[in-house]
Amino acid sequence: MDYIKNYSLEGKVAWITGASYGIGFAIAKAMAKAGATIVFNDIRQDLVDKGLAAYEEEGIKAHGYVCDVTDEDIVNATVEAIEKEVGVVDILVNNAGIIKRIPMIEMAAKDFRQVIDVDLNAPFIVSKAVIPSMIKKGAGKIINICSMMSEFGRETVSAYAAAKGGLKMLTRNIASEYGEYNIQCNGIGPGYIATPQTAPLREKQADGSRHPFDQFIVSKTPAGRWGEASDLGGPAVFLASAASDFVNGQILYVDGGIQAYIGKQPS
């Protein structure tokens, strides 16, 4: 058996939601290098255009669509367009997400619902839209971008933790319900990744010192650093490829070892 070929994504169509930049963009680049045809979406045309320009700079011919992943009718129409213009989606990465850092008792219910809608309801809607064609094809890969908050709680992220915990269980249920059709659904749980979303947590203080949360994360991570978006590329290609055909319903945490580590004893 040629194990290297098992990791090839040649001939596969990969749709990574919200992949104009950040983690989704890094995953898409890795999948493109493994041979996949890249499809991505964003909520506005200007963001799609920026994404297309970024892919072109990387030498990647990507297909961009304007799509609100929380709107079932728009998602269904987008899937129809992708299948007509590019091909059946072989690989879906539910990457689009938001976070609102607000103490729970100060958070309006509408803000809580918005996070749940984008981070949990949307993966349900998009997965539901692509699964029928995967069943007809007899194969499919769904990768949900979970989080450390799929396992842990932390102050100010009640909605995000609730959504990502739910996404973990949605991942396992899709695996349970559609595994018999040779569809594998797994999750990637990034640790603390240096992205625009986490930039406020890494800003230098007025005195030049590191942000307290930055110090906290580095001290709790055996790797001694924040992750880079590119650290997620290899795990994503593995879960999208034939190498993971008997891996289903799992969450692969890419966290530099933080979940395995209790932390240093105070001196």
Side-chain angles (χ1 to χ4, degrees), residues 30 35 38 72 124 139 171 180 208 213 215 221-222 231-232 238 255:
I38 300 302
E72 189 167 16
F124 163 78
T171 300
E180 65 178 295
F213 191 79
Q215 296 178 43
T221 306
D231 289 321
L232 302 168
F238 165 66
D255 63 0

Side-chain angles (χ1 to χ4, degrees), residues 95-112:
N95 165 77
I98 61 171
I99 189 170
K100 290 177 180 284
R101 296 184 178 92
I102 305 170
M104 180 176 168
I105 62 172
E106 298 174 14
M107 189 174 210
K110 66 178 181 61
D111 291 323
F112 187 93

Side-chain angles (χ1 to χ4, degrees), residues 74-152:
I74 291 174
V75 168
N76 289 337
T78 302
V79 170
E80 288 182 15
I82 292 169
E83 291 186 352
K84 181 179 179 180
E85 298 166 10
V86 186
V88 170
V89 175
D90 300 289
I91 302 157
L92 169 66
V93 182
N94 283 309
N95 165 77
I98 61 171
I99 189 170
K100 290 177 180 284
R101 296 184 178 92
I102 305 170
M104 180 176 168
I105 62 172
E106 298 174 14
M107 189 174 210
K110 66 178 181 61
D111 291 323
F112 187 93
R113 291 190 189 101
Q114 184 186 14
V115 175
I116 297 294
D117 205 22
V118 176
D119 293 357
L120 179 57
N121 291 343
F124 163 78
I125 290 168
V126 182
S127 297
K128 178 185 171 186
V130 302
I131 284 172
S133 291
M134 290 180 173
I135 291 174
K136 289 179 184 177
K137 198 167 187 177
K141 302 280 188 176
I142 299 174
I143 303 170
N144 292 325
I145 302 303
C146 296
S147 167
M148 297 283 287
M149 298 301 108
S150 296
E151 299 292 341
F152 303 132

